[in-house]
Amino acid sequence: MNTIDREVISEELIFLDVDLNNREDVIKYIAEKAHEAGYVESKEVFVEKVMQREGEVSTAIGYSIAIPHGKSEDVNSPFIAFLRCKEAFIWDVHNSEETASLIFLIGIPKEHAGKLHLKYISELSKRLLNEDFRSNLCSKSTVSEIFEHLSSIEINK
């Protein structure tokens, strides 16, 4: 097992106590930041891919968590971004009453897609089942503390 490295989770893609209250705005916000950091070539194409995936089935998983994800040729390298909202909101107003305030956006380059995104989602989901792990995501106050916490997730590559 390899610990998720800084190429997949980085401090520049961790956002705390952001004042957004709908799914599309959150995805656009993270995509813009991923674009600025060089993880995504075209934020518009990436947002479109993520929203297409959201249209298939909501990625809200309970515990006020959502894990949207997209595979796209416009993703330069795989990443997991984390955004904590100030307030929980209904993630998918059309299909679910699930709320979200802890959002993990996963981007995977299309040529590396295979099952890589499933490994990321699986390992992340396992950790998110742990109440202490979730509690720390809510209580830690700095990006570096959250980064260290998320860096403990291990992925079989």
Side-chain angles (χ1 to χ4, degrees), residues 48-125:
E48 181 181 321
K49 297 289 185 185
V50 174
M51 293 307 293
Q52 282 176 355
R53 171 61 187 83
E54 284 291 320
E56 294 170 14
V57 65
S58 175
T59 56
I61 63 166
Y63 304 108
S64 208
I65 297 166
I67 309 177
H69 48 282
K71 294 176 275 185
S72 172
E73 59 281 348
D74 284 85
V75 176
N76 295 322
S77 60
F79 67 88
I80 299 175
F82 172 69
L83 183 140
R84 182 174 71 199
C85 290
K86 284 185 178 181
E87 304 274 332
F89 61 90
I90 294 176
W91 182 250
D92 182 354
V93 296
H94 303 294
N95 297 320
S96 172
E97 292 299 310
E98 291 281 354
T99 63
S101 63
L102 305 174
I103 295 98
F104 294 88
L105 178 58
I106 299 174
I108 301 292
K110 192 163 189 120
E111 68 272 9
H112 292 80
K115 294 186 177 160
L116 185 61
H117 72 291
L118 297 176
K119 289 180 183 179
Y120 287 170
I121 293 167
S122 173
E123 293 303 319
L124 181 59
S125 296

Side-chain angles (χ1 to χ4, degrees), residues 16-17 84 135-142 145-146 149:
L16 303 180
D17 305 322
R84 182 174 71 199
S135 177
N136 280 320
L137 290 174
C138 294
S139 65
K140 293 191 180 291
S141 59
T142 68
E145 288 174 321
I146 295 287
H149 188 58

Side-chain angles (χ1 to χ4, degrees), residues 18-42:
V18 179
D19 193 15
L20 295 172
N21 60 10
N22 73 68
R23 175 178 64 179
E24 192 164 353
D25 286 350
V26 165
I27 291 168
K28 285 179 178 178
Y29 179 91
I30 298 171
E32 172 68 32
K33 300 298 184 182
H35 172 72
E36 290 171 6
Y39 285 89
V40 174
E41 201 64 40
S42 167

